[in-house]
Amino acid sequence: MTADVVIAGAGPVGLLTAALLDAAGVRVQVFEREAGPSVHSKATTVHPRTLEVLTALETGGRRLSDVLVDQGRPLPRAHFAALPAMLDYSALRTPFPYVLMIPQARTERALTDYLHERGVPVRYRRPVTDAEQDASGVRVHTGDDVHEARYLVGADGARSLVRRLAGIGFPGTAPSLVGFAADVELADPPGAPSHRWFRDTGSLSIVPLPDGQYRIFGTEPADTGLTSEEVRARRARPQSLEWLRATLRRITGSDCGVRGASWITNATDSTRNADRYRSGRLLIVGDAAHIHLPAGGQGLNVGLQDAANLAWKLAAEHHGWAAGRLTDGPYDYDSERRPISARLAANTLAQGALMHTFTPGGEALRAMFSDLIAQGGDVASELTGWLSGLDLSYPAPDGAHPVTGTRAPDLALAGSSLLHALRQDAFVLADFTPSGRFAHLASRRVDVRAARPGSGPGAWSAVEAALIRPDGYVAAVCASGSAAESAAESSAPDAFADEVARWTTPGMSAVSSVR
């Protein structure tokens, strides 16, 4: 057998999937159509939750998150729909309370270097061209070569061959606009991110990147409300530096001091979400599973979270220790991630309406939304939690403790912190009791760690023990006090032990009801 898992596509999502599978002891190979790592960057934004996930990987004695932070440019605020009022990340409870501006090519390079160090092969100029599956595995074709594997993961983009081979549908909406983006040098750059919107002429955003470059992006009113045929025609038009300068002059009255451009591209708002993310031994992640209007790096970050959700579950299935709820139940990859992508689609469609409705009504809507964000209340909190990735949660059993299904904060553990303790091949059980009451639950798949009481916020105050998944989400809780007494998930240690077994014992059935 060539590998346990073959991955089609060596973009950041495919590379992270490979890295996390490798960390779980799975043999993996990556095949990529292009000649080498990309030198251009569709996305430039890495959000806090993604940096938390990357903390699980160590290279050259350093965490991969630290490698990226050193190469990027942290900014304390993020935009929603390029509104003038921005979302404040500075008070978020995370080691990374900022949005990291870093070209996608650098993220890709860091992951490629990590895999090279680990001895994981990444084969360029070797696209996956066909595949057949049966009950025992997958035969993956790369031209004339055939590779035997147990699973094939498609991280091969919006036109995914793996998705087509799997017979997975890709419903959604056709494109209706064409926007532009470019990485440029500016003669007189703004001191902070700039988002300008003009009802009659269009929109322009300028965001700083490392090394003195800037990502600019925007849309003209004439490039909205298009048919699919008009979109194709406008995407095919030449895009030179002079074309870019002329576009900027039409929008703002100035070419904004653009001295040069290393890359000019365009984008649309086509929005699609696959009707399933798995067909037998073929699975899809990232753009192969969902596409949408580029907005604040959400596509890249949600794709990387796909990888984090899939890798440990697929590794558990391969190694034979996956409980039934992980392979065909309410906590399997498809059940957890597809609803997130549906929410992503709705979010980016809403942003598109705010960004590209060049009418008096659109102008009024932008002003109202911007005021709501500036007030810093529930709207700002909800949007910040979603964009940062920190408030994303997965379904939990009816009546479960409030933290069940949520992302665990970076808890203080004996000799470590949670983000540094997470492993792809085991759960972490944080034991908050002074006596170490839950030490007996330690096993090959459960790493029991003493946790400092009070190191979690809010509802964590009554938690005595928490079972935390390899991707950092809370699987089960044993708690004391009134918050847990009304929960169906009993606070009794024996009941908690049963729930630990349901997550870590092969063949145990899934829960019947989730909220």
Side-chain angles (χ1 to χ4, degrees):
M1 185 169 287
T2 302
D4 301 322
V5 178
V6 166
I7 295 175
V13 175
L15 295 172
L16 181 59
T17 305
L20 295 173
L21 285 167
D22 170 72
V26 175
R27 293 179 306 145
V28 60
Q29 280 200 30
V30 183
F31 294 95
E32 167 57 45
R33 174 183 306 277
E34 300 299 330
S38 175
V39 297
H40 301 304
S41 300
K42 291 189 295 182
T44 57
T45 306
V46 175
H47 288 286
R49 180 63 190 139
T50 299
L51 291 170
E52 290 186 348
V53 168
L54 294 174
T55 302
L57 300 174
E58 189 170 356
T59 175
R62 304 178 66 207
R63 301 288 171 163
L64 199 57
S65 54
D66 295 330
V67 172
L68 291 190
V69 170
D70 283 352
Q71 296 183 25
R73 183 167 180 170
L75 297 175
R77 299 188 301 163
H79 81 86
F80 180 83
L83 293 169
M86 299 181 70
L87 302 171
D88 186 2
Y89 279 19
S90 62
L92 294 175
R93 293 181 64 99
T94 173
F96 310 101
Y98 44 77
V99 57
L100 184 69
M101 302 306 300
I102 181 169
Q104 180 176 314
R106 292 193 183 186
T107 302
E108 188 174 317
R109 173 60 70 183
L111 286 163
T112 303
D113 290 346
Y114 172 87
L115 291 174
H116 179 75
E117 181 182 288
R118 295 280 302 170
V120 176
V122 180
R123 312 293 189 193
Y124 291 98
R125 292 180 176 161
R126 297 279 297 279
V128 169
T129 54
D130 202 357
E132 308 98 23
Q133 63 172 316
D134 57 29
S136 61
V138 184
R139 288 169 54 85
V140 181
H141 300 255
T142 56
D144 294 333
D145 297 327
V146 179
H147 312 273
E148 303 282 347
R150 291 197 64 192
Y151 306 94
L152 170 62
V153 176
D156 49 344
R159 296 179 175 86
S160 171
L161 174 66
V162 175
R163 187 184 64 238
R164 295 199 301 273
L165 293 172
I168 295 173
F170 203 36
T173 62
S176 65
L177 62 84
V178 177
F180 66 88
D183 292 340
V184 301
E185 297 177 6
L186 299 176
D188 186 20
S194 168
H195 302 287
R196 290 185 286 172
W197 190 94
F198 308 96
R199 190 177 76 196
D200 296 329
T201 59
S203 63
L204 176 67
S205 293
I206 304 176
V207 181
L209 298 176
D211 299 336
Q213 281 209 316
Y214 288 79
R215 166 62 57 90
I216 63 173
F217 59 92
T219 309
E220 294 186 85
D223 287 333
T224 65
L226 306 176
T227 66
S228 296
E229 292 74 19
E230 289 172 328
V231 167
R232 282 193 290 272
R234 297 194 188 199
R235 296 196 78 182
R237 63 192 174 189
Q239 294 176 311
S240 65
L241 181 59
E242 285 309 312
W243 173 88
L244 177 64
R245 285 173 171 154
T247 301
L248 298 180
R249 284 193 291 267
R250 287 194 300 270
I251 294 173
T252 69
S254 159
D255 67 5
C256 302
V258 170
R259 296 189 301 189
S262 59
W263 188 47
I264 304 172
T265 188
N266 56 49
T268 77
D269 60 343
S270 181
T271 304
R272 299 184 180 277
N273 190 17
D275 56 24
R276 53 201 165 108
Y277 285 6
R278 179 171 188 168
S279 177
R281 295 180 176 274
L282 275 58
L283 306 99
I284 53 176
V285 292
D287 286 354
H290 44 80
I291 60 171
H292 56 86
L293 173 76
Q298 289 186 87
L300 171 64
N301 286 267
V302 170
L304 294 173
Q305 297 304 318
D306 289 346
N309 185 283
L310 171 62
W312 71 274
K313 295 174 182 177
L314 193 60
E317 180 178 341
H318 169 69
H319 288 307
W321 65 270
R325 59 177 59 184
L326 296 181
T327 58
D328 188 23
Y331 308 113
D332 68 21
Y333 169 62
D334 178 86
S335 296
E336 288 195 332
R337 290 306 298 176
R338 198 152 48 88
I340 297 298
S341 298
R343 184 179 173 188
L344 170 67
N347 177 288
T348 53
L349 285 170
Q351 289 196 66
L354 283 164
M355 295 169 72
H356 304 127
T357 305
F358 296 104
T359 66
E363 187 171 29
L365 186 63
R366 285 182 62 84
M368 183 179 73
F369 238 91
S370 193
D371 286 345
L372 289 171
I373 289 174
Q375 291 171 19
D378 291 344
V379 171
S381 178
E382 174 74 16
L383 295 176
T384 299
W386 166 255
L387 262 67
S388 69
L390 299 180
D391 284 357
L392 181 149
S393 61
Y394 294 124
D398 291 336
H401 187 277
V403 305
T404 307
T406 68
R407 156 197 162 267
D410 192 21
L411 301 168
L413 307 179
S416 181
S417 71
L418 177 63
L419 292 179
H420 287 76
L422 289 173
R423 294 163 39 192
Q424 294 303 303
D425 61 350
F427 288 71
V428 170
L429 195 160
D431 184 348
F432 293 88
T433 64
S435 62
R437 184 193 306 174
F438 300 92
H440 67 286
L441 296 179
S443 69
R444 183 180 179 187
R445 302 301 176 191
V446 180
D447 180 13
V448 178
R449 297 290 190 100
R452 189 179 71 203
S455 59
W460 281 87
S461 61
V463 172
E464 295 184 340
L467 182 69
I468 300 166
R469 304 171 2 168
D471 58 358
Y473 289 86
V474 180
V477 167
C478 182
S480 61
S482 58
E485 289 171 1
S486 62
E489 182 181 303
S490 171
S491 63
D494 288 346
F496 176 70
D498 290 343
E499 188 64 10
V500 171
R502 291 189 188 98
W503 277 98
T504 59
T505 304
M508 292 198 73
S509 61
V511 296
S512 58
S513 178
V514 294
R515 57 172 164 83

